[in-house]
Amino acid sequence: MAAFWTLDRLATALSESYKNEDEGLTPGLKSLRGDRGFPRGQRSISSISTDTRTIKPNDCFVALIGDRFDGHDHIGAAIAGGASAIVVSRPPKLGEFDVPVYVVDDTLVALGQLAKYWRFVWGGKVVAVAGSNGKTSTKELVSAVLREKFEVHATLGNHNNRVGVPLTLLSLPASTQIAVVEVGTSLKGEIEILRNIVQPDISIVTNIGEEHLEGFGDLHGVLMEEASIADSVECVVVPDEFPELVEEVRRRTVVSDPVSKSYGYVVQAFSESHGEGSSAPSSVLQSGRVVSVGLESGDVHPSSWSIGFNGLGSYEINGVSMKPPFRGVHNLKNSLLAVAVGRLFGMSDDEIASGLSRAKEPEMRGRWGEFGKATIIDDTYNANPASMRTSLATLAGADPKTQKVAILGDMRELGPNSSAYHDEIATLALNTDGVSIVAAVGEMGEALKRVGINNPKVVTAPEIDGLWAALAPRLDKSATILVKASRGVRLERIIPHIQAWANS
């Protein structure tokens, strides 16, 4: 990346003038078309930055505007930190800054344009991972499989929004062969925007469930939003347990018209100067193809499968045993999405099995921990009705000889029917096989009190310390304890209490 960016390339990426009809023009002629007088020249730019805390000498600083910050307030700090170019949406006063300034309508859009430009110049294969739940875990499983044979770059954590996705692409080393990019959404149309930036070769939709209903309205709205990751993508991998999703992506998946031709002269120039870059792997992709997966049926499915009390499962495909290290039936299903992607890139089942076994489970997403004799299932990163159901099912499958406890918190962004969804999950928790205590705070606590009047399983409190004080005397030292809520609840604050108690 340090060898790629120049003032000329910043201007071209931001000018919105790279159209198919401009193909073949030299950079100089191309700059005459709609670049609004952007600064130009061969001066080298190290990388693209949005954070003055990590900016490096010779970076280009993009002044993003968020709900709680405005990058324009930190331009001085960026320049002091070494920024040699800035992208802004508020024109500076004449002579205010002594570095090249690119004035755009929206710096968030500009960040996406820069990322898309580099994505095409890089030229490797991209796997996009979308869906209501399990995106981060699936991204890790897919990455682990592909790393068995290819050089892979993947989204760090869950940086899957309109800032995180471009930054993931912009951090792609030229030598990367495959990028695995997590794509999230909370508003209608966000997937479309991110898909246009990412331009995936393969898209995955993990599942469809009630999420961000304040933005999508209902489950059909969620379906249509998540399915848009399939638009004009060569190949899509989906779980066969959602037939409406399979049908929708089949309708959307068509032969694509690569926009990358627009960057032909840049790709050629970059390759001539710096080698062949990504050396993208050959794949067996078929345009317009949809691959379904499932534990019982689908284009990719095992001949047999099983799961133990510890949540770990395994299955056999073509005589090859595969043992994903993530727990729960839902993760067993997600791992089949990774199997399908590996096959699409021509990997053998033995290579796929080896890659799966090396996957690293992300924190706070159903990770099991042993403390003393107790087991804690930390699933505190996020929650919606669908993920609550799968987590409670995982708890139900735990060792029947142990006390099973569910500690739950609010599910956020569910719209006007939020109370009904909380009542549903509270009822489900109370009726989950083997669960002897259901404890909750906040809106989930209120739901438990509504549906569990006089039920001895119920423990509630207005805040976490009070909940722990009421819960602790009722716990067995060998309990299996699920802790799950939306991120904003910060329910993980109860886990140190449990650990100290278990180890005492």
Side-chain angles (χ1 to χ4, degrees), residues 94-148:
L94 185 64
E96 183 177 1
F97 304 118
D98 60 355
V99 299
V101 180
Y102 296 80
V103 183
V104 298
D105 295 331
D106 187 325
T107 51
L108 183 60
V109 173
L111 182 67
Q113 287 177 271
L114 293 167
K116 183 177 179 181
Y117 189 73
W118 172 241
R119 183 265 178 270
F120 280 125
V121 174
W122 162 67
K125 299 291 186 181
V126 176
V127 180
V129 183
S132 297
N133 299 293
K135 293 185 292 295
T136 301
S137 296
T138 300
K139 178 255 301 180
E140 294 296 332
L141 290 162
V142 171
S143 300
V145 166
L146 295 177
R147 284 194 181 103
E148 194 70 14

Side-chain angles (χ1 to χ4, degrees), residues 4 9 12 23-25 27 30 116-124 174 259-280:
F4 173 71
R9 286 172 176 167
T12 301
E23 186 179 356
L25 294 178
K30 188 178 286 285
K116 183 177 179 181
Y117 189 73
W118 172 241
R119 183 265 178 270
F120 280 125
V121 174
W122 162 67
V259 182
S260 55
K261 292 181 179 179
S262 306
Y263 301 85
Y265 78 89
V266 180
V267 176
Q268 181 180 359
F270 185 58
S271 296
E272 289 172 354
S273 302
H274 303 94
E276 291 303 316
S278 70
S279 182

